[in-house]
Amino acid sequence: MFSARVLAGAPLALVMLALSGCSSLWNCTDTTAERGEAGVRVRVVDTSGRPLGVTAEVVDWRLDPHPQVPAEGDQVHFHFRFDGADAGGQTGPGVDACAVDKERVALACQTVYAYQAFGPHGSHTGDEWLPVEHPEQVAGVLMIPNDQSYDGRTCEADIKDGGGPHPPERAVGGDQL
């Protein structure tokens, strides 16, 4: 009698487990956005490729010794601007900025965020340094339009709440832009 009741209630228990989030049958899918075309001025896009209404731009760049480590030689010192971003103290959006050679091969990259570009008197500019091994090879600094500020959970990290679109891998030295 006991085993008949258990067997009769088993399908109901499985449905309740699935609805409560305890099922291992989650349909979790990660997707990675395609890297956009790098440029001196780019329209920042989300993980679906839709414009965010923000532009990021390299205003200027030059080779200089960093004032805190002048013995390390010249580094790329660049100024950038974000237009259309909210100055409310949030971190995003952020884009990769890369020093490139004449063939658009990245020599060094780092992510810069809109919150870094709110200089004095509303100038909406910021500056950063990129250490490069061979400064004589630098031909310019480019921005990649993909917003890197979204850090959603992956399916591997969280099968229940992970998944969905993710930014492309961050740019690194050696990437062709």
Side-chain angles (χ1 to χ4, degrees):
M1 180 83 147
F2 173 73
S3 62
R5 282 189 199 163
V6 170
L7 288 176
L12 179 60
L14 288 174
V15 168
M16 289 175 60
L17 281 173
L19 292 175
S20 70
C22 296
S23 172
S24 63
L25 303 174
W26 293 105
N27 186 15
C28 188
T29 305
D30 284 315
T31 58
T32 302
E34 200 169 308
R35 184 178 288 165
E37 181 72 24
V40 172
R41 180 179 168 91
V42 296
R43 290 178 18 171
V44 182
V45 297
D46 66 12
T47 55
S48 299
R50 291 184 298 257
L52 297 177
V54 175
T55 58
E57 176 181 13
V58 176
V59 178
D60 64 22
W61 69 274
R62 64 185 177 278
L63 295 173
D64 282 327
H66 192 288
Q68 295 176 340
V69 285
E72 292 182 8
D74 283 344
Q75 296 181 20
V76 178
H77 184 206
F78 69 100
H79 289 85
F80 59 94
R81 176 180 26 244
F82 278 84
D83 289 321
D86 179 20
Q90 297 178 7
T91 59
V95 297
D96 288 338
C98 299
V100 296
D101 67 12
K102 63 182 178 181
E103 295 173 3
R104 295 175 61 113
V105 173
L107 302 171
C109 299
Q110 74 178 48
T111 305
V112 294
Y113 293 92
Y115 77 88
Q116 296 172 292
F118 287 95
H121 313 295
S123 67
H124 301 285
T125 60
D127 73 303
E128 283 294 329
W129 295 82
L130 288 168
V132 291
E133 191 171 333
H134 298 286
E136 70 280 359
Q137 294 179 349
V138 178
V141 177
L142 301 177
M143 301 274 198
I144 300 172
N146 304 89
D147 180 15
Q148 292 289 343
S149 66
Y150 174 74
D151 189 24
R153 306 279 294 167
T154 63
C155 292
E156 184 177 291
D158 188 346
I159 190 77
K160 180 181 171 206
D161 296 321
H166 300 281
E169 292 292 318
R170 295 185 189 275
V172 296
D175 285 357
Q176 178 70 49
L177 304 181

